[in-house]
Amino acid sequence: MSSGQEKPLVGKPPGNQLSPTCPGHGLAGVSESSSPQAQSWHLTTKMQSSLQPLCLSLEKLHRVKDSMLEAMDRGLSRRTHAQATVRMLPTFIRSTPDGTERGEFLVLELGDIDLRVLLVELSGDTRQTVTVKDRRFPVSDAIAQGPGEKLFAFMATCLCEFLDGLRLPQRAFQLGFSFPFSCRQTRLDQSYLFSWAKRFKCPGVEGRDVVELLQNAINKQDRYCIKVIAVVNDTTGTMMGCEASAEPCEVGLIVDAGTNSCFMEEARCVEVVEENLGRMGVVTEWGSFGDDGTLNDMLSPYDRLVDETSLNPGKQRFEKMISGLYLGEIVRHILAELATQGGLFSGRTTPALLTKGSVQIQDILEITDEQVGVARAQCVLWRLGLEASDQDCFSMQQVCSAVYIRAASLCAAGLAAILSHMRRNRELTRLKTSVAVDGAMFRDHAKFGQTLQQLVKKLAPECDITLVQAEDGSGKGTAMVTAVASRLAAQRFQVNQTLALLKLSPDALGEVQALLRREMELGLKKETQTTSSVRMLPTYICATPDGSERGDFLALDLGGTNFRVLLVQVGAREQGGVRIVSELYSIPPQVAQGPGSQLFDHIVECIADFQTKQGMMGQTLPLGFTFSFPCQQTSLDQGILLSWTKGFNASGCVGQDVVKLLREAVKRKNHFALDVVAIVNDTVGTMMSCGYDDPSCEVGLIVGTGTNACYMEELRNVGTLAGGEGRMCVNMEWGAFGDNGCLDAFFTPFDRQVDEASLNPGRQRFEKLISGMYLGEIVRYILLELTAKGLLFRGRPSPKLQTRDIFQTKFLSSIESDGLALRQVCAILEQLGLHVTCEDSVLVREVCQVVARRAAQLCGAGVAAVAEKIRENRGLEQLSVTVGVDGTLYKLHPHFAQEVQGTVQRLAPRCSITFLQSEDGSGKGAALIAAVACRVAHHQRA
Ligand code: 0WK
Ligand code: BGC
Ligand code: BGC
């Protein structure tokens, strides 16, 4: 009994009550040496009070777990991410290895004491053989705490030295970088260092992209052609490198000089990245848990001492209670305090005992060994210059165990938080997964893992885990990630090559604008009209409504998604102006592509049905007929169909006056009469309909099933007419732009496939690049091509995806809608019988974006050509004009309208254009035209 000591407790405590591990844990006592003489050793009250702060009850550990869960949610939330202590950093790793990773990759694995350079070969076959050549290079304090540039130069030099040693033939290498520090990753190959930790503190690196720094250092060596294509945290490398027999490894845990964890989170929960489909690896950086004071009530005075004397006081609080770099110091401070209080080593201390770093994690791991621990303690105390009694050695073992078990307990609380979080986010009742573990605390010391497993069972009973010791550090896993990055980079290259065909530069769009302008000029001239692909058809509409129109009119709207019959009552504006009653009818494909007479009979049946429903039977109202197909008009109520477009191909109509065909159908139906006074194109109807509210509306644009535009041209320029003063609306029929080959340079193989498979190959080429009837098909052909190249759906197209028109254009609008896009992508693609990965959905969305953007830009180039024509016609420096627009694609696609308007601004900067979406469709316009026709006819009769 040493003098001044408190009264010792008699005998060995029952069970583990008095064990330093802490009452109530129910864990097998770590250091219950079984040697006979150990029976006489005991914990003094001084020891107990010193170790008490290290005792964490299960209840306390549950609190740690709950606080960790809250801290994790704060890290995941876009709103609180920036201030969160547990940063939850996205890794851009979307899946764990699937065994297809192949190739040979260089890996740089920066550890706490050394740098490891590896050349890893992945066979990528079913056996997935991994061959590793490696070499370690010690990292001195001078490097770890010297200028950042020196650290990266050191790494590049080691890399070259390693390759020199292998005498490999000169070739290009891809490299993965395992960098075990807290980083803000923005891509697999771009990562900004937040803060150094452990024994590293190189100035000039925090806030910088460590891939760029490494790449620059490698390039500076100018010895080997090496591209850094991926950077990972060591936890991720550990998780990705583990080969679990049971459940896939979805958690990575490191307890080494530092500590950290990562896991596969539901991407939708990682709010700081856009993706919300599938999973995304997240690095918790839990080392800094408690940096906001959350753990203050658990910090012992020894923890505070360790923190104050660390390289980063106030930071990495959780790490400093768990990881190997600090446990030795905690033990040393406890021993020094107990010695000073006379509770140990007869109250003596030594310079070594008072020297920072004199007790290492290795010492603790050995001292906590049941068999040799006490003996090991003797050696260590000897090394510290202390003559220790057996009791002293036993006490030291107890101190080491207390510190060690607390570390394991806190780690278990953290792990339990992750597992419960995963189970919650995956909406599972039970979570089964494997946890890849690495670090000195795990390697060669099963107890840490055992303690962890036992405690996780208590703290997260609804989770079953298998701990899998990483075989080979994070090197292999980093190679796996690099292989994935390499595959993605190769895929990206191929995807870029494929999609580059659909990306139009501003010059190319300017060229399209100029080509259209040239075709417009040719189309207007009598001599060249037939050579132009843009027919510039006169419409006999010379004025937009002036508001004096009155009366009831019937209107038909054929050629869009639906066929509409409308009753349009035009009254004084002050009495509400125009009132419309309408009914939608469908035109079945067999009618649209059957005999012409059947089509017009169907139209008449619909009108009759409408009139019956409206109680208008027997009334014959003036009728305006919106007929959205190219017609050569010779008067307002006569139009010779030049060709069918879109999904129509009724026989016996082309070359016929469609008003006549309608009148013949009326005749065929007994007791029925119609007064067709005008036939108009939907672009013209739309312009008139918008012009009723905005007189400066002088352009009509349709981007729906088909596409087209009209505008008010100077009559003197309409060479196909007798000329004269004033203006006339010209129906451009720009859908056919390029049918004479002038746009061939802009057609991609996908456009050619769509054209060849269409009802009218070789025609409506511009329309087939832009309008709703075709965009889905263009996307489908691109998806088939990318699948055939193995870049999508694992190279397996579904039979459905090979079905024409299965990928509807409306999919493009929903796929590009902001917010839930990826989840919708997935749902849409699964409907098509496809098995979709997250990468697949991202790529499908990109294809949709590229196809829709090109369509909108081409449409914008068209509008710019028209606007510039009007401006020049009028000799204006600056033109202001309104474009009346209609069509489902323009109206419903989330970005189409904006892209059109942006393109017009860039290509026609001297025109300020207002795009006015038509509310009532062109049926109203047709009725207004009928009203004008009636007014004119009335005046002529008067
Ligand atoms: C609504 C108009 C109609 C036009 C259609 C075009 O009233 O005349 O044909 O828009 O859009 P789609 O229905 O083809 O998308
Ligand atoms: C770093 C982590 C790293 C861990 C284990 C911590 O100090 O912040 O990024 O994963 O140590 O090496
Ligand atoms: C037709 C045009 C029509 C456009 C929009 C094209 O296919 O040829 O007359 O304006 O579609 O519906």
Side-chain angles (χ1 to χ4, degrees), residues 180-182 197-198 233-235 254 258-260 285 316 319:
F181 298 96
S182 162
K198 296 167 282 190
N233 182 268
D234 51 351
T235 54
I254 290 211
T259 182
N260 193 7
E285 281 298 339
Q316 301 293 97
E319 174 162 274

Side-chain angles (χ1 to χ4, degrees), residues 810-833:
K810 69 173 184 207
F811 291 171
L812 275 80
S813 298
S814 41
I815 281 172
E816 277 201 68
S817 62
D818 300 331
L820 292 184
L822 282 186
R823 188 186 295 284
Q824 280 177 309
V825 179
C826 181
I828 289 168
L829 295 172
E830 269 150 14
Q831 274 169 35
L832 298 176

Side-chain angles (χ1 to χ4, degrees), residues 879-894:
L879 171 78
S880 290
V881 70
T882 296
V883 173
V885 197
D886 209 334
T888 33
L889 182 57
Y890 187 95
K891 281 185 164 175
L892 302 183
H893 188 283

Side-chain angles (χ1 to χ4, degrees), residues 447-484:
K447 264 184 228 123
F448 196 89
Q450 287 160 0
T451 312
L452 201 66
Q453 196 112 25
Q454 284 167 2
L455 267 173
V456 165
K457 261 211 184 65
K458 290 182 184 292
L459 295 165
E462 64 299 337
C463 302
D464 307 327
I465 58 165
T466 314
L467 295 185
V468 182
Q469 170 65 51
E471 274 160 37
D472 194 10
S474 67
K476 185 178 131 195
T478 307
M480 292 284 184
V481 174
T482 315
V484 174

